[in-house]
Amino acid sequence: MKNPFDLGDTESYLRWREQKLASAPKSVNELIVEVHDPRALTPIEHNALAECVRRSNMAIYASPFHDADTEIPRLLGAQFGLEHLDANWLAGEDGISEIRVFDNGTRQNYIPYTDRPIKWHTDGYYNPPERTIRGMVLHCVRNASSGGENQLMDHEMAYLLLRDENPQHIQALMQADAMTIPDRVDEADGVRTAQSGPVFSLDTAGDLHMRYTARTRSIEWKHDAATLAAVAALERLLASDTPHIFKAHLDPGMGLLCNNVLHDRSAFIDAPGQPPRLLYRARYLDRMNT
């Protein structure tokens, strides 16, 4: 079967590349869709969000719903075939994580639950293959008094730009041992064995998945010239002024709906005496149905 992500199928790649670049959003505003109720989208709203996802693997919805209700991201995701939540051990009982600053307990030791910046990554890069995170909803209930912006990049566009620079970068990043998360001991999960895997991979339907983190601590890259050159090229891309990186600030009622695209988060400051910044994160084993 022809697949544009097959390095041996240049013809399919060039056709896909032309279409991808022609339909790519030129600004973050093209990703934003106003919706009345994210829990029950109208056909027009659903189609508009789906079209954004088809173009760039992501969409941002803006709604008047500011309630602290995890049913909002769950019911929204279900409308796009997102049903199998990755209920990691820091998530709530319903499998959805409350992303805010925690001053005590286990969560304070993990960077998403602090006010510190988070480097470029895709979610679940440390998960085993059977728990690959393919879809995600990030819903804003309250924002910070300052900071907390996200940069977003379609992982398919990152693939395209890296392949254009040098197809060997893709070949290196598709190696089964390209990136390894070493062994660690977790107070809840116990010993977590080392997890090796590729950066770019294809699922059974032939769709592209990306597994990546810009962290340097607790990450081991395959130590060969091709892999290190590919990682350096990816780092340069994510630090560049390419128009394919979008900056977004989620206000209350807004959210990101995506096929686990590359994203980061800037540091933020909560207003003294006010409720802290709060987002709900729902991570899925499913890819969005658009």
Side-chain angles (χ1 to χ4, degrees):
M1 181 182 294
K2 294 183 179 295
N3 190 306
F5 305 119
D6 179 353
L7 284 171
D9 191 348
T10 303
E11 184 180 346
S12 293
Y13 170 68
L14 291 176
R15 282 199 304 268
W16 170 83
R17 178 185 182 278
E18 181 180 17
Q19 182 180 12
K20 184 75 177 178
L21 290 172
S23 63
K26 294 178 174 58
S27 77
V28 70
N29 292 333
E30 292 184 49
L31 298 174
I32 300 174
V33 177
E34 299 277 348
V35 304
H36 175 67
D37 184 350
R39 302 168 304 178
L41 300 170
T42 68
I44 291 175
E45 292 167 349
H46 187 281
N47 289 341
L49 289 168
E51 177 62 19
C52 288
V53 174
R54 286 192 291 269
R55 292 171 63 194
S56 61
N57 280 295
M58 59 182 143
I60 295 172
Y61 61 89
S63 81
F65 279 73
H66 301 174
D67 301 348
D69 182 3
T70 57
E71 285 291 278
I72 296 173
R74 190 186 67 78
L75 291 173
L76 173 70
Q79 294 170 80
F80 293 91
L82 300 179
E83 296 179 353
H84 299 95
L85 280 159
D86 176 50
N88 69 86
W89 66 283
L90 291 178
E93 291 183 2
D94 58 3
I96 296 176
S97 299
E98 192 175 281
I99 305 299
R100 62 176 177 85
V101 173
F102 283 83
D103 296 323
N104 50 51
T106 302
R107 288 178 177 82
Q108 67 178 327
N109 300 314
Y110 293 84
I111 198 164
Y113 304 99
T114 71
D115 55 10
R116 302 199 302 274
I118 303 176
K119 294 182 178 181
W120 282 105
H121 66 287
T122 59
D123 269 41
Y125 61 84
Y126 37 75
N127 280 13
E130 65 272 17
R131 285 177 52 210
T132 296
I133 305 300
R134 302 196 184 280
M136 182 174 69
V137 178
L138 194 63
H139 177 79
C140 180
V141 179
R142 294 187 298 268
N143 54 14
S145 64
S146 66
E149 294 85 8
N150 299 105
Q151 291 190 104
L152 307 166
M153 187 178 193
D154 180 358
H155 57 288
E156 289 183 359
M157 189 60 73
Y159 172 100
L160 184 156
L161 296 174
L162 287 173
R163 182 163 171 172
D164 278 3
E165 179 176 326
N166 188 343
Q168 289 185 354
H169 292 337
I170 302 300
Q171 188 171 28
L173 294 175
M174 293 189 92
Q175 296 175 102
D177 57 351
M179 186 177 82
T180 299
I181 311 300
D183 289 342
R184 64 169 292 177
V185 177
D186 193 286
E187 65 182 65
D189 288 349
V191 177
R192 207 162 67 180
T193 58
Q195 189 62 56
S196 294
V199 173
F200 289 117
S201 61
L202 303 182
D203 63 20
T204 54
D207 293 309
L208 186 72
H209 175 71
M210 189 175 187
R211 170 181 177 265
Y212 176 72
T213 176
R215 291 186 64 183
T216 54
R217 184 179 169 208
S218 301
I219 302 296
E220 294 176 1
W221 290 101
K222 185 172 183 178
H223 202 74
D224 63 9
T227 303
L228 296 179
V231 172
L234 179 53
E235 289 174 348
R236 287 195 304 272
L237 173 61
L238 294 173
S240 74
D241 59 355
T242 173
H244 300 295
I245 291 177
F246 303 116
K247 293 184 179 180
H249 187 277
L250 299 181
D251 288 322
M254 296 179 70
L256 172 69
L257 178 69
C258 72
N259 282 323
N260 200 4
V261 296
L262 285 156
H263 55 287
D264 71 0
R265 185 190 76 191
S266 69
F268 63 89
I269 299 172
D270 281 327
Q274 298 297 316
R277 177 183 188 266
L278 172 62
L279 288 90
Y280 290 137
R281 185 188 65 196
R283 304 196 298 193
Y284 296 90
L285 307 183
D286 316 292
R287 181 180 168 88
M288 291 178 61
N289 180 6
T290 58

mmCIF file of all heavy atoms in Angstrom, residues 188-223:
data_model
loop_
_atom_site.group_PDB
_atom_site.id
_atom_site.type_symbol
_atom_site.label_atom_id
_atom_site.label_comp_id
_atom_site.label_asym_id
_atom_site.label_seq_id
_atom_site.Cartn_x
_atom_site.Cartn_y
_atom_site.Cartn_z
ATOM 1 N N ALA A 188 4.725 5.144 43.212
ATOM 2 C CA ALA A 188 3.408 4.547 42.987
ATOM 3 C C ALA A 188 3.488 3.350 42.036
ATOM 4 O O ALA A 188 2.873 2.326 42.269
ATOM 5 C CB ALA A 188 2.444 5.585 42.429
ATOM 6 N N ASP A 189 4.253 3.501 40.950
ATOM 7 C CA ASP A 189 4.328 2.444 39.948
ATOM 8 C C ASP A 189 5.423 1.424 40.225
ATOM 9 O O ASP A 189 5.523 0.427 39.530
ATOM 10 C CB ASP A 189 4.571 3.053 38.562
ATOM 11 C CG ASP A 189 3.340 3.763 38.034
ATOM 12 O OD1 ASP A 189 2.269 3.592 38.643
ATOM 13 O OD2 ASP A 189 3.450 4.477 37.024
ATOM 14 N N GLY A 190 6.271 1.702 41.213
ATOM 15 C CA GLY A 190 7.383 0.803 41.486
ATOM 16 C C GLY A 190 8.468 0.979 40.436
ATOM 17 O O GLY A 190 8.677 2.065 39.907
ATOM 18 N N VAL A 191 9.165 -0.107 40.115
ATOM 19 C CA VAL A 191 10.233 -0.028 39.124
ATOM 20 C C VAL A 191 9.622 0.049 37.727
ATOM 21 O O VAL A 191 8.805 -0.785 37.353
ATOM 22 C CB VAL A 191 11.163 -1.254 39.222
ATOM 23 C CG1 VAL A 191 12.221 -1.194 38.126
ATOM 24 C CG2 VAL A 191 11.820 -1.320 40.590
ATOM 25 N N ARG A 192 10.020 1.084 36.987
ATOM 26 C CA ARG A 192 9.558 1.230 35.614
ATOM 27 C C ARG A 192 10.738 0.906 34.714
ATOM 28 O O ARG A 192 11.771 1.570 34.768
ATOM 29 C CB ARG A 192 9.069 2.661 35.381
ATOM 30 C CG ARG A 192 8.020 2.774 34.294
ATOM 31 C CD ARG A 192 7.247 4.074 34.389
ATOM 32 N NE ARG A 192 8.079 5.241 34.093
ATOM 33 C CZ ARG A 192 7.614 6.492 34.120
ATOM 34 N NH1 ARG A 192 6.376 6.732 34.447
ATOM 35 N NH2 ARG A 192 8.407 7.498 33.824
ATOM 36 N N THR A 193 10.621 -0.145 33.925
ATOM 37 C CA THR A 193 11.749 -0.593 33.112
ATOM 38 C C THR A 193 12.043 0.402 32.001
ATOM 39 O O THR A 193 11.190 1.200 31.605
ATOM 40 C CB THR A 193 11.458 -1.973 32.499
ATOM 41 O OG1 THR A 193 10.266 -1.880 31.704
ATOM 42 C CG2 THR A 193 11.244 -3.022 33.584
ATOM 43 N N ALA A 194 13.277 0.336 31.487
ATOM 44 C CA ALA A 194 13.681 1.218 30.392
ATOM 45 C C ALA A 194 12.746 1.037 29.200
ATOM 46 O O ALA A 194 12.310 -0.085 28.906
ATOM 47 C CB ALA A 194 15.121 0.920 29.996
ATOM 48 N N GLN A 195 12.437 2.149 28.545
ATOM 49 C CA GLN A 195 11.506 2.117 27.420
ATOM 50 C C GLN A 195 12.161 2.729 26.195
ATOM 51 O O GLN A 195 12.364 3.934 26.118
ATOM 52 C CB GLN A 195 10.230 2.888 27.779
ATOM 53 C CG GLN A 195 9.109 2.740 26.766
ATOM 54 C CD GLN A 195 8.651 1.297 26.635
ATOM 55 O OE1 GLN A 195 8.271 0.681 27.621
ATOM 56 N NE2 GLN A 195 8.705 0.771 25.428
ATOM 57 N N SER A 196 12.535 1.882 25.236
ATOM 58 C CA SER A 196 13.126 2.368 23.990
ATOM 59 C C SER A 196 12.082 2.402 22.895
ATOM 60 O O SER A 196 11.111 1.631 22.916
ATOM 61 C CB SER A 196 14.291 1.464 23.556
ATOM 62 O OG SER A 196 15.358 1.544 24.469
ATOM 63 N N GLY A 197 12.271 3.273 21.929
ATOM 64 C CA GLY A 197 11.343 3.332 20.807
ATOM 65 C C GLY A 197 11.775 4.382 19.810
ATOM 66 O O GLY A 197 12.702 5.164 20.044
ATOM 67 N N PRO A 198 11.083 4.431 18.680
ATOM 68 C CA PRO A 198 11.381 5.430 17.660
ATOM 69 C C PRO A 198 10.785 6.788 18.011
ATOM 70 O O PRO A 198 9.926 6.890 18.889
ATOM 71 C CB PRO A 198 10.710 4.853 16.415
ATOM 72 C CG PRO A 198 9.537 4.100 16.958
ATOM 73 C CD PRO A 198 9.986 3.523 18.279
ATOM 74 N N VAL A 199 11.230 7.816 17.325
ATOM 75 C CA VAL A 199 10.589 9.128 17.403
ATOM 76 C C VAL A 199 9.389 9.154 16.457
ATOM 77 O O VAL A 199 8.276 9.469 16.861
ATOM 78 C CB VAL A 199 11.590 10.253 17.073
ATOM 79 C CG1 VAL A 199 10.877 11.605 16.986
ATOM 80 C CG2 VAL A 199 12.695 10.309 18.124
ATOM 81 N N PHE A 200 9.619 8.788 15.203
ATOM 82 C CA PHE A 200 8.539 8.696 14.226
ATOM 83 C C PHE A 200 8.191 7.228 13.992
ATOM 84 O O PHE A 200 9.074 6.393 13.815
ATOM 85 C CB PHE A 200 8.944 9.316 12.889
ATOM 86 C CG PHE A 200 9.064 10.823 12.916
ATOM 87 C CD1 PHE A 200 10.283 11.433 12.676
ATOM 88 C CD2 PHE A 200 7.958 11.622 13.176
ATOM 89 C CE1 PHE A 200 10.402 12.816 12.686
ATOM 90 C CE2 PHE A 200 8.065 13.003 13.189
ATOM 91 C CZ PHE A 200 9.286 13.607 12.944
ATOM 92 N N SER A 201 6.896 6.932 13.991
ATOM 93 C CA SER A 201 6.438 5.574 13.716
ATOM 94 C C SER A 201 5.080 5.643 13.034
ATOM 95 O O SER A 201 4.413 6.681 13.045
ATOM 96 C CB SER A 201 6.350 4.753 15.009
ATOM 97 O OG SER A 201 5.427 5.345 15.912
ATOM 98 N N LEU A 202 4.672 4.521 12.442
ATOM 99 C CA LEU A 202 3.377 4.433 11.781
ATOM 100 C C LEU A 202 2.493 3.465 12.541
ATOM 101 O O LEU A 202 2.955 2.405 12.974
ATOM 102 C CB LEU A 202 3.541 3.958 10.333
ATOM 103 C CG LEU A 202 4.460 4.793 9.431
ATOM 104 C CD1 LEU A 202 4.474 4.217 8.021
ATOM 105 C CD2 LEU A 202 4.029 6.251 9.407
ATOM 106 N N ASP A 203 1.211 3.823 12.708
ATOM 107 C CA ASP A 203 0.298 2.891 13.347
ATOM 108 C C ASP A 203 -0.254 1.916 12.303
ATOM 109 O O ASP A 203 0.136 1.960 11.126
ATOM 110 C CB ASP A 203 -0.815 3.620 14.098
ATOM 111 C CG ASP A 203 -1.705 4.458 13.192
ATOM 112 O OD1 ASP A 203 -1.731 4.210 11.966
ATOM 113 O OD2 ASP A 203 -2.394 5.349 13.705
ATOM 114 N N THR A 204 -1.135 1.054 12.721
ATOM 115 C CA THR A 204 -1.611 0.004 11.817
ATOM 116 C C THR A 204 -2.380 0.565 10.620
ATOM 117 O O THR A 204 -2.471 -0.082 9.581
ATOM 118 C CB THR A 204 -2.502 -0.999 12.574
ATOM 119 O OG1 THR A 204 -3.552 -0.274 13.238
ATOM 120 C CG2 THR A 204 -1.695 -1.767 13.598
ATOM 121 N N ALA A 205 -2.921 1.767 10.759
ATOM 122 C CA ALA A 205 -3.642 2.399 9.655
ATOM 123 C C ALA A 205 -2.719 3.210 8.748
ATOM 124 O O ALA A 205 -3.167 3.783 7.755
ATOM 125 C CB ALA A 205 -4.752 3.297 10.194
ATOM 126 N N GLY A 206 -1.429 3.270 9.112
ATOM 127 C CA GLY A 206 -0.470 4.016 8.311
ATOM 128 C C GLY A 206 -0.346 5.473 8.684
ATOM 129 O O GLY A 206 0.319 6.247 7.981
ATOM 130 N N ASP A 207 -0.980 5.882 9.798
ATOM 131 C CA ASP A 207 -0.876 7.276 10.250
ATOM 132 C C ASP A 207 0.417 7.492 11.030
ATOM 133 O O ASP A 207 0.905 6.589 11.712
ATOM 134 C CB ASP A 207 -2.074 7.633 11.127
ATOM 135 C CG ASP A 207 -3.379 7.642 10.339
ATOM 136 O OD1 ASP A 207 -3.415 8.294 9.277
ATOM 137 O OD2 ASP A 207 -4.353 6.997 10.784
ATOM 138 N N LEU A 208 0.939 8.697 10.944
ATOM 139 C CA LEU A 208 2.207 9.030 11.579
ATOM 140 C C LEU A 208 2.017 9.380 13.051
ATOM 141 O O LEU A 208 1.127 10.153 13.402
ATOM 142 C CB LEU A 208 2.858 10.210 10.857
ATOM 143 C CG LEU A 208 4.269 10.592 11.328
ATOM 144 C CD1 LEU A 208 5.284 9.548 10.868
ATOM 145 C CD2 LEU A 208 4.656 11.977 10.790
ATOM 146 N N HIS A 209 2.864 8.819 13.893
ATOM 147 C CA HIS A 209 2.891 9.154 15.315
ATOM 148 C C HIS A 209 4.283 9.659 15.657
ATOM 149 O O HIS A 209 5.279 9.221 15.074
ATOM 150 C CB HIS A 209 2.563 7.926 16.171
ATOM 151 C CG HIS A 209 2.704 8.177 17.647
ATOM 152 N ND1 HIS A 209 1.823 8.974 18.353
ATOM 153 C CD2 HIS A 209 3.648 7.774 18.541
ATOM 154 C CE1 HIS A 209 2.206 9.034 19.615
ATOM 155 N NE2 HIS A 209 3.305 8.319 19.752
ATOM 156 N N MET A 210 4.353 10.578 16.617
ATOM 157 C CA MET A 210 5.641 11.109 17.059
ATOM 158 C C MET A 210 5.776 10.958 18.560
ATOM 159 O O MET A 210 4.853 11.250 19.317
ATOM 160 C CB MET A 210 5.788 12.581 16.665
ATOM 161 C CG MET A 210 7.184 13.136 16.902
ATOM 162 S SD MET A 210 7.340 14.840 16.277
ATOM 163 C CE MET A 210 9.115 15.097 16.497
ATOM 164 N N ARG A 211 6.944 10.508 18.977
ATOM 165 C CA ARG A 211 7.285 10.318 20.389
ATOM 166 C C ARG A 211 8.550 11.122 20.642
ATOM 167 O O ARG A 211 9.608 10.804 20.126
ATOM 168 C CB ARG A 211 7.519 8.824 20.645
ATOM 169 C CG ARG A 211 8.097 8.437 21.987
ATOM 170 C CD ARG A 211 8.282 6.905 22.017
ATOM 171 N NE ARG A 211 8.904 6.454 23.253
ATOM 172 C CZ ARG A 211 10.224 6.240 23.402
ATOM 173 N NH1 ARG A 211 11.055 6.454 22.394
ATOM 174 N NH2 ARG A 211 10.708 5.823 24.561
ATOM 175 N N TYR A 212 8.440 12.200 21.439
ATOM 176 C CA TYR A 212 9.587 13.103 21.561
ATOM 177 C C TYR A 212 9.524 13.897 22.846
ATOM 178 O O TYR A 212 8.444 14.238 23.334
ATOM 179 C CB TYR A 212 9.622 14.085 20.379
ATOM 180 C CG TYR A 212 10.733 15.109 20.490
ATOM 181 C CD1 TYR A 212 12.059 14.742 20.304
ATOM 182 C CD2 TYR A 212 10.444 16.440 20.796
ATOM 183 C CE1 TYR A 212 13.083 15.677 20.414
ATOM 184 C CE2 TYR A 212 11.459 17.385 20.909
ATOM 185 C CZ TYR A 212 12.776 16.996 20.719
ATOM 186 O OH TYR A 212 13.784 17.926 20.850
ATOM 187 N N THR A 213 10.690 14.214 23.357
ATOM 188 C CA THR A 213 10.843 15.212 24.419
ATOM 189 C C THR A 213 12.161 15.936 24.219
ATOM 190 O O THR A 213 13.166 15.330 23.824
ATOM 191 C CB THR A 213 10.801 14.581 25.815
ATOM 192 O OG1 THR A 213 11.053 15.611 26.790
ATOM 193 C CG2 THR A 213 11.853 13.495 25.992
ATOM 194 N N ALA A 214 12.155 17.235 24.471
ATOM 195 C CA ALA A 214 13.379 18.031 24.399
ATOM 196 C C ALA A 214 14.148 17.991 25.719
ATOM 197 O O ALA A 214 15.206 18.614 25.829
ATOM 198 C CB ALA A 214 13.048 19.473 24.040
ATOM 199 N N ARG A 215 13.623 17.267 26.695
ATOM 200 C CA ARG A 215 14.352 17.137 27.958
ATOM 201 C C ARG A 215 15.706 16.479 27.691
ATOM 202 O O ARG A 215 15.845 15.620 26.824
ATOM 203 C CB ARG A 215 13.572 16.277 28.950
ATOM 204 C CG ARG A 215 12.313 16.901 29.486
ATOM 205 C CD ARG A 215 11.707 16.028 30.571
ATOM 206 N NE ARG A 215 12.572 15.911 31.733
ATOM 207 C CZ ARG A 215 12.286 15.159 32.799
ATOM 208 N NH1 ARG A 215 11.175 14.454 32.833
ATOM 209 N NH2 ARG A 215 13.112 15.120 33.829
ATOM 210 N N THR A 216 16.697 16.866 28.458
ATOM 211 C CA THR A 216 18.008 16.216 28.361
ATOM 212 C C THR A 216 18.249 15.298 29.552
ATOM 213 O O THR A 216 19.052 14.368 29.471
ATOM 214 C CB THR A 216 19.126 17.276 28.300
ATOM 215 O OG1 THR A 216 18.999 18.163 29.424
ATOM 216 C CG2 THR A 216 19.017 18.081 27.012
ATOM 217 N N ARG A 217 17.532 15.550 30.638
ATOM 218 C CA ARG A 217 17.661 14.711 31.822
ATOM 219 C C ARG A 217 16.786 13.468 31.662
ATOM 220 O O ARG A 217 15.648 13.546 31.206
ATOM 221 C CB ARG A 217 17.219 15.508 33.046
ATOM 222 C CG ARG A 217 17.390 14.793 34.359
ATOM 223 C CD ARG A 217 16.941 15.695 35.494
ATOM 224 N NE ARG A 217 16.837 14.955 36.748
ATOM 225 C CZ ARG A 217 16.030 15.263 37.732
ATOM 226 N NH1 ARG A 217 15.224 16.303 37.598
ATOM 227 N NH2 ARG A 217 16.000 14.570 38.838
ATOM 228 N N SER A 218 17.312 12.323 32.029
ATOM 229 C CA SER A 218 16.575 11.057 31.986
ATOM 230 C C SER A 218 16.155 10.658 30.575
ATOM 231 O O SER A 218 15.155 9.990 30.380
ATOM 232 C CB SER A 218 15.341 11.118 32.894
ATOM 233 O OG SER A 218 15.718 11.392 34.226
ATOM 234 N N ILE A 219 16.921 11.093 29.574
ATOM 235 C CA ILE A 219 16.679 10.707 28.185
ATOM 236 C C ILE A 219 18.003 10.230 27.607
ATOM 237 O O ILE A 219 19.048 10.856 27.816
ATOM 238 C CB ILE A 219 16.167 11.894 27.341
ATOM 239 C CG1 ILE A 219 14.890 12.469 27.940
ATOM 240 C CG2 ILE A 219 15.940 11.472 25.886
ATOM 241 C CD1 ILE A 219 13.724 11.524 27.953
ATOM 242 N N GLU A 220 17.971 9.117 26.878
ATOM 243 C CA GLU A 220 19.180 8.616 26.223
ATOM 244 C C GLU A 220 18.906 8.469 24.731
ATOM 245 O O GLU A 220 18.006 7.736 24.325
ATOM 246 C CB GLU A 220 19.593 7.254 26.814
ATOM 247 C CG GLU A 220 20.035 7.330 28.265
ATOM 248 C CD GLU A 220 20.336 5.957 28.845
ATOM 249 O OE1 GLU A 220 20.206 4.953 28.100
ATOM 250 O OE2 GLU A 220 20.703 5.886 30.037
ATOM 251 N N TRP A 221 19.686 9.197 23.929
ATOM 252 C CA TRP A 221 19.580 9.084 22.483
ATOM 253 C C TRP A 221 20.589 8.060 21.978
ATOM 254 O O TRP A 221 21.676 7.921 22.537
ATOM 255 C CB TRP A 221 19.846 10.433 21.819
ATOM 256 C CG TRP A 221 18.752 11.428 22.063
ATOM 257 C CD1 TRP A 221 18.746 12.458 22.961
ATOM 258 C CD2 TRP A 221 17.482 11.467 21.409
ATOM 259 N NE1 TRP A 221 17.563 13.135 22.914
ATOM 260 C CE2 TRP A 221 16.762 12.554 21.961
ATOM 261 C CE3 TRP A 221 16.888 10.702 20.407
ATOM 262 C CZ2 TRP A 221 15.474 12.891 21.550
ATOM 263 C CZ3 TRP A 221 15.605 11.030 19.989
ATOM 264 C CH2 TRP A 221 14.917 12.109 20.559
ATOM 265 N N LYS A 222 20.216 7.329 20.946
ATOM 266 C CA LYS A 222 21.142 6.386 20.335
ATOM 267 C C LYS A 222 22.392 7.140 19.918
ATOM 268 O O LYS A 222 22.318 8.179 19.253
ATOM 269 C CB LYS A 222 20.501 5.709 19.124
ATOM 270 C CG LYS A 222 21.379 4.626 18.514
ATOM 271 C CD LYS A 222 20.640 3.835 17.451
ATOM 272 C CE LYS A 222 21.508 2.713 16.917
ATOM 273 N NZ LYS A 222 20.795 1.886 15.919
ATOM 274 N N HIS A 223 23.531 6.616 20.327
ATOM 275 C CA HIS A 223 24.766 7.382 20.146
ATOM 276 C C HIS A 223 25.447 6.996 18.832
ATOM 277 O O HIS A 223 26.510 6.372 18.808
ATOM 278 C CB HIS A 223 25.708 7.167 21.335
ATOM 279 C CG HIS A 223 26.719 8.268 21.496
ATOM 280 N ND1 HIS A 223 26.368 9.513 21.989
ATOM 281 C CD2 HIS A 223 28.032 8.333 21.207
ATOM 282 C CE1 HIS A 223 27.441 10.279 22.008
ATOM 283 N NE2 HIS A 223 28.465 9.586 21.534
#
